[in-house]
């Protein structure tokens, strides 16, 4: 076996092992419980990670989340207070006593029928310790009912209860934060932004948790500008070679607008974008003026928890080699650890990406791309991250003239610098320098193995 074959085998083995380990981890019970826990109770999880204080430091009987091993049990076990076994209707009855003008018997906060007069809170709750005076029952009851409603995904009712509790405790950061998450679930972005900003203010004098600032940045974002420049060694793509070239050096810029309201709704996105692309002359940094391609399109992400993106774009011919057609496109990606981390200085990350494009639906040209990479992130300083990684990439295209394919893999490293943050928003911009060596494994595309240098920017 030749040295090159051994190296290719080693790269293929490493990528396969990485993908297999990632797949096993995502389907493990630990990963599923972590995901379910954070999805169901983001404020509890955020508090557990960023502060040692209890959720309700001023209450005699705070609500605490259950141990992780109880994730498979019904939501009732998470929200029942540890000091009493009374049903949820007990809290409803107690709340009605304090807020009789807010609720009526015809519109109960919780579905169900009261068949008997429940005991009062004083008959069921134990006496508080002498050094912690009992808080007003209304605040404790409203907070508990808010978490009950949030657990059953009744976010509108949860916000009602949280607002009642916040009225008695206007500086309770944890209630404000949970109310902000409920507003985000309902797509009430202005209310969510106000709640997250208020929670950040109450974090002082400690720095605000990075995830909260990222929430504000995502909700307030309107414009994105992205640019990239990718140079490939095309020394193997000699002029006498005839065929499709999937290794061409290229550059591009894209501007997108996310309208208020419909632009971002609990992870769902809608954007209007325009872009301009161009290829480079072989073995040169000079742009090929015949390759300029423009486009205007709409992009929609319909699922909150999955990064499935659908787009329709009108290609606009600028250069002689450009096209004037419609393009339909669908992409899906899954990643972990690709954003900046302030809480740790070392972490693993991976990303999986699939893309399919169809040009001219009447007589379609098809383009398919799949990419997987995994790396280890090292924070070198504030906003500066170095990421060594392994990459595998497969590309296939078919048009009216030919069919071309290319499979390649190799090691690489990226250096990314994050900047443009505020006390209320996380980093909104970054610049990335990438260096890779890609080894051609299979495919009939002209061009072969060689280095790849890239520069990217996002604003």
């Amino acid at each position: 076996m030749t040295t090159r074959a051994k190296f290719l085998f080693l790269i293929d083995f490493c990528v396969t092992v990485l993908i297999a380990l990632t797949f096993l981890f995502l389907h493990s019970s630990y990963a599923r419980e972590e995901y379910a826990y954070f999805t169901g109770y983001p404020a509890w999880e955020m508090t557990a990670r960023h502060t040692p204080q209890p959720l309700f430091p001023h209450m005699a009987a705070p609500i605490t989340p259950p141990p992780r091993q109880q994730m498979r049990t019904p939501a009732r076990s998470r929200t029942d207070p540890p000091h009493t076994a009374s049903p949820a209707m007990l809290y409803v009855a107690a709340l009605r006593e304090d807020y009789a003008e807010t609720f009526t018997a015809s519109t109960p906060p919780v579905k169900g029928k009261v068949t008997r007069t429940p005991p009062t809170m004083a008959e069921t709750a134990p006496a508080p310790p002498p050094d912690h005076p009992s808080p007003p029952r209304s605040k404790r009851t409203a907070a508990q009912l808010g978490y009950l409603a949030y657990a059953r995904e009744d976010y509108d009712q949860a916000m009602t209860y949280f607002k009642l509790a916040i009225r008695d405790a206007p500086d309770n950061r944890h209630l404000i934060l949970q109310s902000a998450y409920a507003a985000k679930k309902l797509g009430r972005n202005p209310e969510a932004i106000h709640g997250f900003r208020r929670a950040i203010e109450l974090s002082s004098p400690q720095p605000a948790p990075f995830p909260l600032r990222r929430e504000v940045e995502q909700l307030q974002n309107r414009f994105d500008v992205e640019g990239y420049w990718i140079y490939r060694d095309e020394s193997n793509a000699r002029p006498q070679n005839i065929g499709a070239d999937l290794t061409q050096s290229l550059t591009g810029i894209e501007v997108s607008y996310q309208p208020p309201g419909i632009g971002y709704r609990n992870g769902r996105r809608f954007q209007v974008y325009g872009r301009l692309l161009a290829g480079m002359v072989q073995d040169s940094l000079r742009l090929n003026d015949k390759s300029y391609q423009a486009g205007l399109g709409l992009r929609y992400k319909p699922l909150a928890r999955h990064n499935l993106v659908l787009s329709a774009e009108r290609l606009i011919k600028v250069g002689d080699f450009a096209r004037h057609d419609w393009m339909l496109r669908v992409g899906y990606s899954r990643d972990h650890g690709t954003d900046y981390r302030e809480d740790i200085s070392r972490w693993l990350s991976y990303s999986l990406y699939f893309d399919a494009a169809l040009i001219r639906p009447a007589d379609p040209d098809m383009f398919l791309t799949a990419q997987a990479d995994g790396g280890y992130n090292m924070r070198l300083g504030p906003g500066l991250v170095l990421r060594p990684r392994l990459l595998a990439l497969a590309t296939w295209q078919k048009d009216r003239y030919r069919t071309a394919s290319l499979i390649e893999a190799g090691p690489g490293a990226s250096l990314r610098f994050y900047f443009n943050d505020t006390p209320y928003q996380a980093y909104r911009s970054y610049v990335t320098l990438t260096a890779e060596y890609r080894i051609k494994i299979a495919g009939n595309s002209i061009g072969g193995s060689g280095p790849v240098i890239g520069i990217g920017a996002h604003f």
Side-chain angles (χ1 to χ4, degrees):
M1 184 180 292
T2 63
T3 302
R4 179 175 179 179
K6 292 180 180 178
F7 185 71
L8 290 176
F9 176 80
L10 178 61
I11 292 295
D12 183 71
F13 177 79
C14 292
V15 172
T16 302
V17 171
L18 178 63
I19 294 176
L21 291 176
T22 301
F23 180 84
L24 292 175
F25 174 77
L26 291 176
H27 287 77
S28 65
S29 59
Y30 173 79
R32 291 179 178 178
E33 290 176 1
E34 285 286 322
Y35 180 79
Y37 189 87
F38 184 84
T39 302
Y41 299 91
W44 274 341
E45 180 70 10
M46 204 74 68
T47 302
R49 292 186 179 185
H50 296 285
T51 178
Q53 282 81 22
L55 290 178
F56 300 96
H58 304 295
M59 295 186 181
I63 306 173
T64 57
R68 300 293 177 90
Q69 60 269 22
Q70 296 186 13
M71 282 305 302
R72 300 181 184 276
T73 61
R76 176 176 51 82
S77 62
R78 181 180 298 281
T79 53
D80 282 348
H83 62 275
T84 177
S86 57
M89 293 307 300
L90 169 62
Y91 307 132
V92 178
L95 185 64
R96 285 175 175 169
E97 295 176 11
D98 294 300
Y99 298 102
E101 72 281 2
T102 305
F103 300 106
T104 63
S106 60
T107 58
V110 180
K111 295 181 180 179
K113 181 183 293 185
V114 179
T115 57
R116 62 183 180 85
T117 303
T120 63
M121 293 292 292
E123 295 173 346
T124 57
D131 55 337
H132 292 282
S134 177
R137 180 176 58 193
S138 59
K139 178 176 66 174
R140 180 171 65 246
T141 305
Q144 291 168 337
L145 283 172
Y147 280 101
L148 281 170
Y150 196 100
R152 63 176 181 269
E153 300 183 357
D154 189 351
Y155 304 115
D156 186 64
Q157 196 171 82
M159 283 195 65
T160 300
Y161 292 133
F162 287 133
K163 287 179 180 179
L164 292 176
I166 293 172
R167 189 175 68 180
D168 292 331
D171 294 331
N172 190 311
R173 176 177 175 269
H174 310 291
L175 290 175
I176 294 173
L177 183 58
Q178 195 66 54
S179 178
Y181 276 110
K184 177 187 172 184
K185 293 283 189 180
L186 294 170
R188 301 177 185 175
N189 294 347
E191 294 182 61
I193 292 172
H194 176 77
F196 286 127
R197 290 174 66 95
R198 179 58 179 158
I200 290 173
E201 293 172 355
L202 294 173
S203 300
S204 182
Q206 282 76 25
F210 184 84
L212 294 187
R213 294 161 57 210
R214 178 62 75 200
E215 294 281 7
V216 176
E217 185 271 331
Q218 290 180 344
L219 290 169
Q220 289 188 325
N221 181 56
R222 291 293 174 267
F223 288 94
D224 286 299
V225 180
E226 293 191 52
Y228 60 89
W229 175 88
I230 302 174
Y231 176 78
R232 298 197 60 159
D233 179 13
E234 299 179 82
S235 57
N236 292 329
R238 298 181 178 87
Q240 61 267 28
N241 291 339
I242 299 177
D245 184 6
L246 300 179
T247 62
Q248 184 181 17
S249 301
L250 53 95
T251 185
I253 185 172
E254 177 184 302
V255 179
S256 60
Y257 171 67
Q258 186 171 284
I262 63 173
Y264 186 91
R265 293 183 61 85
N266 188 29
R268 299 173 178 85
R269 295 176 182 270
F270 175 78
Q271 293 179 327
V272 181
Y273 67 92
R275 58 178 180 156
L276 179 65
L277 314 175
M280 299 182 189
V281 178
Q282 182 177 328
D283 298 326
S284 171
L285 299 180
R286 184 167 53 89
L287 297 180
N288 185 346
D289 55 2
K290 295 183 178 181
S291 67
Y292 283 104
Q293 176 73 66
L296 291 173
L298 304 176
R299 182 186 297 131
Y300 181 53
K301 177 179 175 291
L303 304 178
R305 299 181 182 178
H306 295 275
N307 196 30
L308 174 67
V309 180
L310 311 174
S311 64
E313 180 177 352
R314 180 62 178 178
L315 301 177
I316 303 173
K317 183 176 181 178
V318 179
D320 294 338
F321 298 157
R323 309 186 61 159
H324 192 73
D325 290 304
W326 285 99
M327 180 173 70
L328 303 178
R329 192 172 180 179
V330 56
Y332 182 83
S333 65
R334 189 176 185 89
D335 58 70
H336 173 75
T338 55
D339 198 4
Y340 185 76
R341 298 285 299 270
E342 282 188 341
D343 53 336
I344 55 178
S345 59
R346 301 287 189 271
W347 69 95
L348 292 172
S349 63
Y350 74 87
S351 67
L352 304 173
Y353 174 72
F354 305 93
D355 183 37
L358 187 132
I359 299 179
R360 197 176 58 253
D363 183 18
D365 297 342
M366 293 179 289
F367 302 83
L368 301 176
T369 301
Q371 177 178 311
D373 77 85
Y376 185 72
N377 299 266
M378 297 175 286
R379 179 156 53 86
L380 306 180
L384 186 62
V385 178
L386 175 65
R387 183 177 183 256
R389 63 176 182 169
L390 289 175
L391 170 74
L393 178 67
T395 307
W396 180 87
Q397 75 174 43
K398 180 182 181 299
D399 56 31
R400 65 180 66 180
Y401 303 108
R402 62 181 66 89
T403 299
S405 61
L406 177 63
I407 300 176
E408 52 189 348
S414 64
L415 184 66
R416 175 172 291 183
F417 177 66
Y418 295 85
F419 61 98
N420 192 22
D421 63 331
T422 70
Y424 293 102
Q425 294 188 6
Y427 293 115
R428 294 171 289 180
S429 308
Y430 57 80
V431 176
T432 307
L433 174 63
T434 303
E436 302 169 350
Y437 188 86
R438 297 187 185 179
I439 302 169
K440 182 178 180 179
I441 299 175
N444 62 348
S445 170
I446 62 176
S449 305
V452 180
I453 305 297
I455 298 176
H458 175 91
F459 301 94

